[in-house]
Every structure is written in C-alpha cells, then in structure tokens.
Amino acid sequence: MTDALSPAKSAPPPRPAKLGVPDIRARKSGTGPKLVMVTAYDFPTARLAEAAGIDLLLVGDSLGMVVLGYASTVPVTLDEMLHHARAVTRGAPATHVVADLPFMTYEVSDAQAIASAGRLLKEGGVDAVKLEGGAAMADRVRAVARAGIPVMGHVGLTPQSAGNLGGFRVQGRDLASARAVLRDAEAVAAAGAYALVVEAVPAELAALITARVGVPTLGIGAGAACDGQILVAHDVLGLEDRLAPRFAKRYADLGTATQEAFAAYAAEVRAGAFPDAAHSYALKPDVAAALRAAEPDPPPDG
Ligand code: KIV
C-alpha cells in the first residue's frame, strides 16, 4: 500500500550527459542546437529544469529580487548565493550549473575574485561562475580563468550597476554606446570567458557581438541571433508580476494557479472539507474500539 509518505516508485528517466565547458564552446553559431539556459534558485526548480532538458542553469543573483525580496541585486551576499547554489546542484546533478558572483565579491582585486569564485565551486558545487562587466572587468575574468575556474561574462545591461546605467534600461542604442558594448564583449571573450550573457541590447548589436566573439553568446532581451537564450525562471513560469520586461516571455501562469490552489485549500479547511477520509490515516476498527475503552472521555468540568 502506498500513502503520502511513500517515495514514488517509478524509475527515473535516463539523464542526458552534463555539458562541460568544451561542449558549450563547441555550440558556437551553427554548430549544434541553440543553448537553453534558465535561472534556478532551489532544489525543486532545478530538478524540473533538468527533467525538461534545459542545457544550463544559472543561480543568478536575481535571487535577491525574485526570491529574497530585495529592491536590487546589490545586497545579495556570497553566503546567500552558496546556500541556493547547493540546493540547485543537488537538484540538477546532470546539468551544467553557473553561479553569479554577487556585487563586491570580485571587484576589489583578482585575489578576491578568485577566492569568491573558488568558494562557489568548492562549497556550492557549481561548474562555473558568472561576473558582470566589460573591459573594466577583463582582468578579473582573466585571473579567475587562469586560476582554473570557468568564467561566463555578462555585458550590456549589468543589473549590479543599474544605478550607473540609468536604471534597468536597454543598452547600446546609440552609436557610441553600441560600440562600447561591442568592445566590452570582445574584451571579456579575449580575457578567457567561455561564454557571454548579452542582456538588453538591440538585436542588431547582439548579432554583431555574436559574429565577432569566438564564444557562445546567451541572449536575454538581445534578439534571436545569439547562440542561446537565457530567461529568469520566475518570468517563464509567470511567478513574477512586479517586473515585466518586454523580453520576458511567459510560458505558464503559475502565479495565478498557485494563488488559486492556496485559496481552494483555505476554503476547504475553513469549510471542514479537508482533510477527508482519503487524506487521513485510520486505525483498524478493533484498535479504535480498544483505544476508546482504554481512554474513556474525562467527565465534563464542574
Ligand atoms: O541574475 C540573473 O538572473 C542574470 C540573468 C538575468 C542573466 O544575470
């Protein structure tokens, strides 16, 4: 007999092989299907993403806004990233997992960047780190890569410095800033990044970046020409209704479904309809009768 405490008996589906850095590099334009990446911050989401065949998971520092309720990604700490990275890597052992280096855990020095990245690999179990910034961060990318830690770059809109960029805005719309974003991408790729997130730039600029750099580009709000795409899981699932960037396509409305499920549960509890017999445990009748005989009701007070 099974009940709610019994583990599911069905055999797990066969796992696809985990992508390594060379596999990801090899998926540069036209060499294999586009790469598909999504954020994950917890064990169940990581499991579901892996079962769905997602290629790469990002434990993004969007964690701060999406899951922890901060107003920006700036307050996120390395310890918070580690806590969530461990959950994700437990949930998706056969998926390439990248974790963000949060604000001020890599900017100070090469040594700081290597130490922070090292913790994410050793304690978080991730396969690679991502850090935001262009030419100004190329030295950090180089240092971390030379320390043997795969680094993903992130150019265009870099949320950790949204304040400097005038908010969460599309980058590279005019000639000078488009050229600056292109230079950033080239610098980070030349410094040893194995892939590059390109966020919130016009599609033509992302196409140019994709053509110019020798590593795969993962676009978010950057058009269709990139070598792959990344989205925030809560946007994909319809769990985030406070921020609605134009590029964030919803593939489900789990926010409404979740709210309806909670409301239905609350209504049934209040109406006495839950739990019913199907969701309760029962004693055998003879044991129940013996228990009642051995434990008679106490006399009423007074
Ligand atoms: O933190 C994050 O989720 C990200 C993606 C938006 C690329 O960096």
Side-chain angles (χ1 to χ4, degrees), residues 39 58 60-62 100 130 154 197 199 220 230 232:
T39 64
L58 173 67
D61 62 352
S62 51
D100 266 333
K130 175 166 81 59
H154 184 157
V197 168
E199 180 166 356
I220 174 164
I230 171 162
V232 169

Short mmCIF file of all heavy atoms in Angstrom, two decimals, residues 39 58 60-62 100 130 154 197 199 220 230 232, ligand 1:
data_model
loop_
_atom_site.label_atom_id
_atom_site.label_comp_id
_atom_site.label_asym_id
_atom_site.label_seq_id
_atom_site.Cartn_x
_atom_site.Cartn_y
_atom_site.Cartn_z
N THR A 39 17.29 30.48 -15.10
CA THR A 39 17.77 30.61 -13.72
C THR A 39 17.08 29.55 -12.86
O THR A 39 16.00 29.07 -13.18
CB THR A 39 17.46 31.99 -13.12
OG1 THR A 39 16.04 32.16 -13.04
CG2 THR A 39 18.10 33.11 -13.93
N LEU A 58 21.43 28.81 -14.27
CA LEU A 58 22.14 29.93 -13.64
C LEU A 58 21.53 30.18 -12.26
O LEU A 58 20.33 30.45 -12.16
CB LEU A 58 22.00 31.21 -14.48
CG LEU A 58 22.56 32.47 -13.81
CD1 LEU A 58 24.09 32.39 -13.68
CD2 LEU A 58 22.17 33.74 -14.57
N GLY A 60 21.33 32.80 -10.48
CA GLY A 60 21.57 34.22 -10.72
C GLY A 60 21.44 35.01 -9.43
O GLY A 60 20.71 34.62 -8.52
N ASP A 61 22.13 36.15 -9.40
CA ASP A 61 21.93 36.99 -8.22
C ASP A 61 20.60 37.74 -8.32
O ASP A 61 20.20 38.44 -7.39
CB ASP A 61 23.10 37.94 -7.99
CG ASP A 61 23.31 38.91 -9.13
OD1 ASP A 61 22.65 38.78 -10.18
OD2 ASP A 61 24.14 39.84 -8.97
N SER A 62 19.85 37.51 -9.41
CA SER A 62 18.45 37.92 -9.47
C SER A 62 17.68 37.26 -8.32
O SER A 62 16.58 37.71 -7.97
CB SER A 62 17.82 37.54 -10.81
OG SER A 62 18.06 36.19 -11.13
N ASP A 100 26.29 33.22 -10.11
CA ASP A 100 26.77 34.60 -10.19
C ASP A 100 27.67 34.93 -9.01
O ASP A 100 27.40 34.54 -7.87
CB ASP A 100 25.57 35.56 -10.11
CG ASP A 100 25.06 35.97 -11.47
OD1 ASP A 100 25.86 35.98 -12.43
OD2 ASP A 100 23.86 36.29 -11.59
N LYS A 130 29.74 33.37 -13.05
CA LYS A 130 29.49 34.46 -13.98
C LYS A 130 29.79 35.76 -13.26
O LYS A 130 29.47 35.90 -12.08
CB LYS A 130 28.04 34.44 -14.47
CG LYS A 130 27.67 35.62 -15.37
CD LYS A 130 26.37 35.41 -16.10
CE LYS A 130 25.13 35.70 -15.31
NZ LYS A 130 25.01 37.06 -14.76
N HIS A 154 29.24 38.81 -18.74
CA HIS A 154 27.88 39.38 -18.78
C HIS A 154 28.03 40.85 -19.15
O HIS A 154 28.56 41.63 -18.36
CB HIS A 154 27.24 39.20 -17.40
CG HIS A 154 25.80 39.65 -17.32
ND1 HIS A 154 24.92 39.18 -16.37
CD2 HIS A 154 25.08 40.56 -18.05
CE1 HIS A 154 23.74 39.74 -16.53
NE2 HIS A 154 23.82 40.60 -17.53
N VAL A 197 26.87 36.22 -21.45
CA VAL A 197 25.48 36.68 -21.41
C VAL A 197 25.45 38.10 -21.98
O VAL A 197 26.27 38.95 -21.62
CB VAL A 197 24.92 36.67 -19.96
CG1 VAL A 197 23.59 37.43 -19.87
CG2 VAL A 197 24.74 35.22 -19.48
N GLU A 199 22.80 41.11 -22.31
CA GLU A 199 21.48 41.46 -21.77
C GLU A 199 20.99 42.81 -22.27
O GLU A 199 21.72 43.82 -22.21
CB GLU A 199 21.52 41.47 -20.23
CG GLU A 199 20.17 41.83 -19.62
CD GLU A 199 20.03 41.54 -18.13
OE1 GLU A 199 20.97 40.97 -17.54
OE2 GLU A 199 18.96 41.88 -17.57
N ILE A 220 19.56 37.67 -23.50
CA ILE A 220 18.33 37.91 -22.71
C ILE A 220 17.89 39.32 -23.09
O ILE A 220 18.60 40.29 -22.81
CB ILE A 220 18.54 37.70 -21.19
CG1 ILE A 220 17.29 38.11 -20.40
CG2 ILE A 220 19.79 38.37 -20.65
CD1 ILE A 220 17.24 37.60 -18.96
N ILE A 230 18.74 32.91 -22.45
CA ILE A 230 18.53 32.71 -21.01
C ILE A 230 17.35 33.55 -20.58
O ILE A 230 17.18 34.69 -21.07
CB ILE A 230 19.79 33.04 -20.18
CG1 ILE A 230 19.44 33.04 -18.69
CG2 ILE A 230 20.45 34.36 -20.57
CD1 ILE A 230 20.63 32.93 -17.76
N VAL A 232 14.82 34.37 -16.83
CA VAL A 232 14.62 34.16 -15.39
C VAL A 232 13.43 33.20 -15.22
O VAL A 232 12.36 33.41 -15.80
CB VAL A 232 14.38 35.51 -14.70
CG1 VAL A 232 13.91 35.32 -13.26
CG2 VAL A 232 15.65 36.37 -14.74
O1 KIV B 1 20.97 37.12 -12.20
C1 KIV B 1 20.42 36.79 -13.26
O2 KIV B 1 19.32 36.22 -13.28
C2 KIV B 1 21.09 37.10 -14.51
C3 KIV B 1 20.32 36.89 -15.77
C4 KIV B 1 19.34 37.98 -15.94
C5 KIV B 1 21.21 36.75 -16.94
O3 KIV B 1 22.20 37.53 -14.51
#
